[in-house]
């Protein structure tokens, strides 16, 4: 068996700038490492990384790499233009998808206001139906950002308006 060389185990990653809030309400910035777009035209989504990994490496200015536990994050914020891959393409492309404007109350006392967009069968298109099916993180849209909100850190969600 041939000896494994260092370059054989290198995984190429790109960085994506993020701002994040811990379960205690502490906000910080850094860059998350993600696999770049491959030949199929799809890169690694931050939403999937947060849902699948126990620890996510984040490069912080002046602090080196910090490994964050997603279960202890309230949200991760990405600039809207950089976050297009984080959105559900089915919901975004479906003209009949539902949209709800909500206020999210977080366990640490903070709040976020924005919209969630989701595509579900007609008889299950209520906000509550969507929330029951939500994975570990869900995208919340604002005018400038996408927040990936941790379900585990949500205390309440108050609908302000809903279009089904």
């Amino acid at each position: 068996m041939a000896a494994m060389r260092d370059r054989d185990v290198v995984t190429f990653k790109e960085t994506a700038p993020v701002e994040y809030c811990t379960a205690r309400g502490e906000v910080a910035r850094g860059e998350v490492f993600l696999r770049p777009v491959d030949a199929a035209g799809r890169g690694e989504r931050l939403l999937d990384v947060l849902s699948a990994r126990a620890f996510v490496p984040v490069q912080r200015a002046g602090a080196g790499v910090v490994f964050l536990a997603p279960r202890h994050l309230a949200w991760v914020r990405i600039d809207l233009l950089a976050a297009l891959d984080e959105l559900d393409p089915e919901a975004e492309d479906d003209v009949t998808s539902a949209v709800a404007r909500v206020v999210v109350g977080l366990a640490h006392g903070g709040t976020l206001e924005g919209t969630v967009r989701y595509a579900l069968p007609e008889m299950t298109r209520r906000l509550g139906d969507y929330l029951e099916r939500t994975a570990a993180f869900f995208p919340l849209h604002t005018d400038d950002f996408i927040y990936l909100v941790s379900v585990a850190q949500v205390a309440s969600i108050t609908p302000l308006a809903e279009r089904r």
Side-chain angles (χ1 to χ4, degrees):
M1 189 184 313
M4 191 178 298
R5 297 180 302 244
D6 286 344
R7 67 184 159 157
D8 293 335
V9 295
V10 171
T11 303
F12 294 101
K13 299 280 183 166
E14 293 178 342
T15 57
V18 297
E19 188 169 316
Y20 61 89
C21 179
T22 68
R24 290 185 228 152
E26 300 161 344
V27 177
R29 291 181 180 184
E31 293 182 318
V32 177
F33 300 95
L34 300 172
R35 190 176 59 255
V37 175
D38 59 17
R42 185 74 177 174
E44 190 171 39
R45 293 183 337 152
L46 181 55
L47 191 59
D48 297 332
V49 170
L50 292 171
S51 296
R53 301 203 45 195
F55 293 93
V56 176
V58 176
Q59 176 74 43
R60 289 185 45 194
V65 174
V66 176
F67 290 88
L68 298 177
R71 68 186 175 279
H72 294 293
L73 293 174
W75 52 259
V76 177
R77 185 174 85 177
I78 313 163
D79 287 333
L80 186 59
L81 293 177
L84 294 179
D85 282 343
E86 302 300 328
L87 303 176
D88 178 2
E90 182 182 334
E92 296 298 318
D93 293 340
D94 185 352
V95 295
T96 65
S97 64
V99 178
R101 182 139 193 91
V102 298
V103 174
V104 178
L106 300 166
H108 65 71
T111 60
L112 297 171
E113 185 174 333
T115 59
V116 291
R117 176 179 287 256
Y118 50 95
L120 293 172
E122 188 173 342
M123 299 305 290
T124 59
R125 222 177 259 162
R126 298 172 303 194
L127 176 61
D129 297 323
Y130 167 72
L131 294 173
E132 288 299 319
R133 291 171 171 81
T134 303
F137 286 80
F138 66 92
L140 180 75
H141 307 233
T142 67
D143 290 339
D144 299 317
F145 302 103
I146 296 293
Y147 287 83
L148 303 178
V149 181
S150 170
V151 171
Q153 299 300 321
V154 172
S156 65
I157 296 179
T158 305
L160 301 176
E162 188 174 359
R163 179 185 57 81
R164 292 187 241 163

